[in-house]
Amino acid sequence: MHVTSERRLDDGVLEREFTLGEIPGILWMPPSASAPVPLILLGHPALGLRKMYPRLVARARHSAAAGFATATIELPGSGDRPRWPALDQARAELRRAMQAGGPVSDEIVDALVLPLVDKAVPEWQAALDVFLSLPEIGGPVGYSGGVISIGVRLAVVEPRIVAAGLFAGSLVPRVMFEEARQVTIPLHVLLQWDDEGNDRQAALDLFDAFGSEEKSLHANMGGHTGVPQFAGDAAAQFFTRHLL
């Protein structure tokens, strides 16, 4: 991990920007970590770290107040990473389908999401190797937010992740429902009931498919950007129960 910048935020949180090869990322440490601390991986949609930074740093500050380190990495084909023509084409096809007002086909969803999951999940695992090698981070590890299909795959294949908070709202390929049945870790799923870009029934069906014995669905009225503050508090309590 090559640290490219380091600064203290006004609440004392230590923010380090870094690169892992071609992959940019950010690591946040709580202000007074006297022992190795648990880690939460902050997932996000494929809009680029620069665009997502305000929301990510807010989540990182909230987690730091509870005693967690947090880290995120840039997704393939997004932000400052090299363009991915196949992903760009799939995004363009999705935009055309949505503008036409018709249903989004399974073929478009698969082309958009599945290659991203296949490439991003091993990158997250490699990044996790690096994070856990740092003396100030000791685990256990949680995953929060992001493209929900990436969270599902990580929950299945990465044994170091012991709990996950998932954001319902992204398009989900049908094959991911089969993977969801293999998920056994505790889950906290957030759903905005009136999310204009979300197939609510698909989100409910995915929640039903999860194989976890402990899973909770937290549905709030409002659109995609209308998540209430107390929803973040509930997510923090979930990770406190399972990571501390």
Side-chain angles (χ1 to χ4, degrees), residues 116-203:
L116 182 62
V117 172
D118 289 343
K119 189 169 184 178
V121 166
E123 292 181 350
W124 270 114
Q125 291 181 288
L128 184 54
D129 291 341
V130 175
F131 300 146
L132 291 178
S133 72
L134 300 174
E136 60 266 43
I137 296 176
V141 181
Y143 177 85
S144 173
V147 177
I148 196 168
S149 293
I150 292 177
V152 171
R153 176 71 59 80
L154 277 169
V156 172
V157 304
E158 180 46 73
R160 293 171 293 184
I161 295 176
V162 302
L166 302 176
F167 297 174
S170 52
L171 299 167
V172 181
R174 293 185 183 277
V175 69
M176 297 307 300
F177 286 77
E178 293 302 317
E179 294 196 30
R181 294 183 174 88
Q182 303 173 49
V183 175
T184 59
I185 62 174
L187 297 177
H188 177 103
V189 182
L190 178 65
L191 170 65
Q192 285 301 104
W193 199 250
D194 305 303
D195 189 338
E196 60 280 1
N198 180 40
D199 183 334
R200 183 195 302 160
Q201 189 58 53

Side-chain angles (χ1 to χ4, degrees), residues 23-242:
I23 305 173
I26 310 173
L27 171 66
W28 293 273
M29 294 296 302
S32 56
S34 58
V37 296
L39 173 68
I40 298 175
L41 304 176
L42 295 183
H44 53 88
L47 300 175
L49 284 183
R50 295 181 189 278
K51 185 172 183 177
M52 290 300 302
Y53 177 81
R55 280 186 273 177
L56 288 168
V57 73
R59 291 163 60 193
R61 288 175 185 263
H62 202 170
S63 297
F68 302 116
T70 51
T72 192
I73 57 173
E74 188 75 87
L75 290 175
S78 300
D80 294 331
R81 293 190 62 177
R83 302 314 306 167
W84 188 353
L87 186 61
D88 290 339
Q89 180 179 348
R91 288 170 175 164
E93 291 175 357
L94 174 64
R95 285 193 296 270
R96 285 194 291 269
M98 296 182 73
Q99 289 168 359
V104 178
S105 70
D106 290 345
E107 290 76 16
I108 292 176
V109 175
D110 289 354
L112 180 69
V113 178
L114 293 179
L116 182 62
V117 172
D118 289 343
K119 189 169 184 178
V121 166
E123 292 181 350
W124 270 114
Q125 291 181 288
L128 184 54
D129 291 341
V130 175
F131 300 146
L132 291 178
S133 72
L134 300 174
E136 60 266 43
I137 296 176
V141 181
Y143 177 85
S144 173
V147 177
I148 196 168
S149 293
I150 292 177
V152 171
R153 176 71 59 80
L154 277 169
V156 172
V157 304
E158 180 46 73
R160 293 171 293 184
I161 295 176
V162 302
L166 302 176
F167 297 174
S170 52
L171 299 167
V172 181
R174 293 185 183 277
V175 69
M176 297 307 300
F177 286 77
E178 293 302 317
E179 294 196 30
R181 294 183 174 88
Q182 303 173 49
V183 175
T184 59
I185 62 174
L187 297 177
H188 177 103
V189 182
L190 178 65
L191 170 65
Q192 285 301 104
W193 199 250
D194 305 303
D195 189 338
E196 60 280 1
N198 180 40
D199 183 334
R200 183 195 302 160
Q201 189 58 53
L204 295 173
D205 291 344
L206 182 65
F207 178 80
D208 189 52
F210 286 126
S212 303
E213 290 187 7
E214 180 188 335
K215 59 180 181 179
S216 59
L217 178 66
H218 299 256
N220 296 288
M221 304 305 291
H224 188 73
T225 58
V227 181
Q229 177 62 41
F230 62 77
D233 296 337
Q237 292 168 5
F238 167 79
F239 283 117
T240 296
R241 289 201 308 275
H242 292 288

